[in-house]
Amino acid sequence: MFNKILIANRGEIALRIIRTCKEMGILTVAVYSTADKDSLHVRFADEAVCIGPPSSAESYLSVPKIMAAVEITNADAVHPGYGFLAENADFAEVCKEYNVKFIGPSPDMIRKMGDKITAKETMIKANVPVVPGSGGLLKNAEHGLEVAKEIGYPVMLKATAGGGGKGMRIVWKPEELKENFENAQKEAAASFANDGIYVEKFIEEPRHIEIQIIGDQHGKVIHLSERDCSIQRRHQKLVEECPSPFMTDELRDEMGSAAIRAGEAIKYEGVGTVEFLVDKYRKFYFMEMNTRIQVEHCVTEEVIDHDLIKEQIKVAAGQKIENDSYYPTMHAIECRINAEDIYNDFRPSGGHIKSFHSPKGHGVRVDTHVYAGYTVPPYYDSMIAKLICRAQTREECILKMARALDEFIIEGIKTTVPFHQMLMDDEDFKSGNFNTGFINTFDFGEEKK
Ligand code: MV4
């Protein structure tokens, strides 16, 4: 087992990782920018190293700064959390060169899944269903027209270096293809320094359902059931839950097996998530694979009652996975509490938190790094807390969540709490009748002053 882990991250996830390390008897090193000097991850880690000014590029995203901190503290592993360097293959490579364990898959695997066309080819080989499409880069708009004619409209143009919606275009008819192709190409070049575009059939009103997997260094891969992440806004997830209200035992078996095949095919090591689009006929298609621990991992922790960060560290240290399968026996929902103004286009609303009271009680979990008196810095992600509730049934879980949201007092900044309160009272949400388009038609009403 590791002696000392450096956590190359900030916020709630840094704190989350420190907690598990402590319970495992592993020493921790926090790194922080000057904007985070008063953060709890700095306080609770055994050691802390300042790695630069507020800008992420000069702190949490700086490989030389992180490696310098590894060197001076003599850490033997790095946990990247999510975001920042978590899916940076070059960083994983540098860790390897320095003989420091990167807690995650190999650089090669990160690269393979980071390139969407390569990922899709890998899935086809593993017999995982993918969306019908070009199966490779488009040479030009004419090539796109040919493929689109074959698969039928509407189609979607996607960037091979993409993910998260950038460089993505829906095309409803042939006349619109050329212009969309050129724009997608430009956007991809500007965002990823890679203008590769491919095309696939557009799946209308899909649900976003992902399967959590874990693989060990001995070739064993298991799945830990799904999370429904269909409640999103501009590719930012707002709510995640397990079981998905759309799931059946049969579909879970099928999607779980597909996710395991995906993991086995690449000898996946670590925790990972296979994202699927699920259409109204419950046909599912591989979308992307995330090679990191995700924000919403807590939902899975609650329904299977295991610490995923602990399992992640154990497999990184070479230990074998013991169980063969886990089954969700409860219902869990996570609401992301962001410092955002929901009545102003979800604009970030950082600043000083005057008072902060978290909900408590049976089945209520709050993962957060903030407290009364804390100032939310403007430089980073706006997520300030995750509220996770667990109950025997979905109905009870929604009622518990509504109760917990009512107890949440956050004064001084605007948050997404009012949105979640309205959501827990929404008939379509309550009946499980939603897909990725849900937020587009959601009625936010008037702000209560
Ligand atoms: C799609 C799709 C429909 N058809 N691909 C959005 C982010 C990127 N990872 C892939 N995305 C989509 N790909 C095909 N062939 C619809 C989306 C999509 C979406 C997916 C999951 C969750 C929310 C979404 C919101 C808009 C579009």
Side-chain angles (χ1 to χ4, degrees):
M1 189 37 72
F2 307 114
N3 173 53
K4 192 191 274 187
I5 295 178
L6 181 139
I7 297 113
N9 216 304
R10 64 177 300 281
E12 69 85 20
I13 193 64
L15 212 48
R16 166 78 193 82
I17 297 161
I18 290 168
R19 286 184 174 135
T20 292
C21 288
K22 278 195 177 175
E23 292 170 17
M24 296 176 77
I26 300 168
L27 295 169
T28 51
V29 181
V31 294
Y32 64 100
S33 74
T34 51
D36 280 338
K37 66 176 175 27
D38 299 323
S39 290
L40 289 181
H41 76 285
V42 174
R43 206 143 133 187
F44 292 151
D46 296 292
E47 292 171 74
V49 182
C50 181
I51 52 166
S55 122
S56 299
E58 293 173 87
S59 53
Y60 301 106
L61 282 172
S62 165
V63 175
K65 297 261 183 70
I66 305 279
M67 294 318 290
V70 168
E71 205 138 273
I72 60 171
T73 57
N74 204 23
D76 52 0
V78 172
H79 197 307
Y82 52 69
F84 296 122
L85 297 170
E87 287 171 296
N88 184 315
D90 296 336
F91 176 58
E93 193 107 51
V94 172
C95 288
K96 208 170 202 162
E97 281 163 27
Y98 279 70
N99 246 329
V100 177
K101 175 62 188 173
F102 173 84
I103 300 177
S106 66
D108 186 51
M109 221 163 297
I110 299 172
R111 248 177 228 122
K112 251 192 186 150
M113 292 300 127
D115 182 84
K116 306 305 165 195
I117 290 180
T118 310
K120 213 172 154 178
E121 283 167 356
T122 310
M123 294 304 148
I124 294 169
K125 278 192 205 136
N127 199 23
V128 175
V130 301
V131 185
S134 54
L137 278 181
L138 291 176
K139 291 184 209 87
N140 46 43
E142 288 65 43
H143 185 193
L145 279 168
E146 275 170 42
V147 182
K149 196 173 171 184
E150 255 170 62
I151 59 180
Y153 289 84
V155 297
M156 195 166 217
L157 299 168
K158 289 185 173 182
T160 189
K166 276 227 177 90
M168 212 172 77
R169 293 285 185 286
I170 305 170
V171 185
W172 296 91
K173 40 184 195 277
E175 303 84 82
E176 297 169 352
L177 196 135
K178 194 174 161 65
E179 192 187 338
N180 276 300
F181 177 81
E182 284 160 4
N183 288 335
Q185 212 173 27
K186 269 182 225 149
E187 194 173 307
S191 311
F192 317 113
N194 174 348
D195 69 356
I197 301 291
Y198 63 105
V199 64
E200 54 187 36
K201 179 91 187 158
F202 176 62
I203 309 296
E204 292 182 60
E205 303 189 337
R207 283 171 171 80
H208 171 140
I209 302 179
E210 56 189 32
I211 303 283
Q212 176 72 57
I213 63 166
I214 181 164
D216 67 20
Q217 294 173 5
H218 312 275
K220 180 165 174 175
V221 180
I222 64 169
H223 85 82
L224 307 174
S225 70
E226 81 281 5
R227 292 182 292 258
D228 192 316
C229 308
S230 299
I231 307 289
Q232 314 199 349
R233 184 184 172 276
R234 299 197 183 155
H235 307 295
Q236 292 294 321
K237 293 169 186 166
L238 290 166
V239 175
E240 305 92 357
E241 66 178 307
C242 178
S244 163
F246 199 59
M247 191 51 75
T248 62
D249 286 348
E250 196 185 356
L251 182 61
R252 182 178 297 112
D253 280 348
E254 281 180 40
M255 291 179 68
S257 305
I260 291 173
R261 284 200 298 280
E264 283 175 347
I266 58 175
K267 295 194 164 47
Y268 190 76
E269 180 209 319
V271 295
T273 300
V274 187
E275 296 185 341
F276 293 100
L277 292 169
V278 182
D279 72 15
K280 59 184 172 204
Y281 308 107
R282 289 197 172 79
K283 271 186 74 125
F284 62 92
Y285 309 88
F286 169 79
M287 183 163 52
E288 297 180 9
M289 176 162 181
N290 299 320
T291 55
R292 59 164 194 277
I293 191 78
Q294 287 183 282
V295 173
E296 61 270 29
H297 75 276
C298 313
V299 167
T300 304
E301 293 187 323
E302 293 305 313
V303 295
I304 67 171
D305 211 14
H306 278 267
D307 178 338
L308 279 191
I309 303 286
K310 185 174 179 182
E311 298 309 315
Q312 184 186 29
I313 293 171
K314 277 162 61 181
V315 296
Q319 294 186 18
K320 287 186 172 166
I321 297 168
E322 285 154 27
N323 292 21
D324 286 330
S325 62
Y326 292 89
Y327 191 83
T329 57
M330 295 186 84
H331 198 95
I333 302 177
E334 171 178 279
C335 290
R336 295 195 190 188
I337 313 301
N338 298 339
E340 290 169 0
D341 181 356
I342 65 162
Y343 294 102
N344 210 334
D345 212 25
F346 283 70
R347 197 163 62 189
S349 158
H352 187 76
I353 298 178
K354 281 199 293 227
S355 63
F356 188 86
H357 173 269
S358 346
K360 293 169 184 76
H362 183 234
V364 176
R365 166 177 173 184
V366 178
D367 276 23
T368 183
H369 59 293
V370 316
Y371 49 85
Y374 177 82
T375 298
V376 181
Y379 313 101
Y380 315 108
D381 195 87
S382 60
M383 193 178 75
I384 55 163
K386 302 187 297 199
L387 170 57
I388 307 111
C389 288
R390 171 170 84 166
Q392 291 294 334
T393 65
R394 183 169 192 267
E395 206 171 18
E396 289 171 300
C397 196
I398 291 172
L399 291 168
K400 191 184 285 288
M401 183 64 83
R403 183 277 285 174
L405 286 161
D406 288 346
E407 277 180 29
F408 226 142
I409 300 171
I410 307 172
E411 286 168 335
I413 58 169
K414 297 198 171 179
T415 74
T416 49
V417 167
F419 162 72
H420 293 298
Q421 286 175 309
M422 289 186 274
L423 184 69
M424 294 306 133
D425 202 30
D426 180 272
E427 290 308 322
D428 284 328
F429 179 73
K430 285 195 280 189
S431 59
N433 177 29
F434 56 81
N435 58 55
T436 53
F438 181 85
I439 293 294
N440 301 335
T441 56
F442 188 78
D443 180 8
F444 288 83
E446 294 284 315
E447 183 172 8
K448 288 201 192 76
K449 297 273 184 187

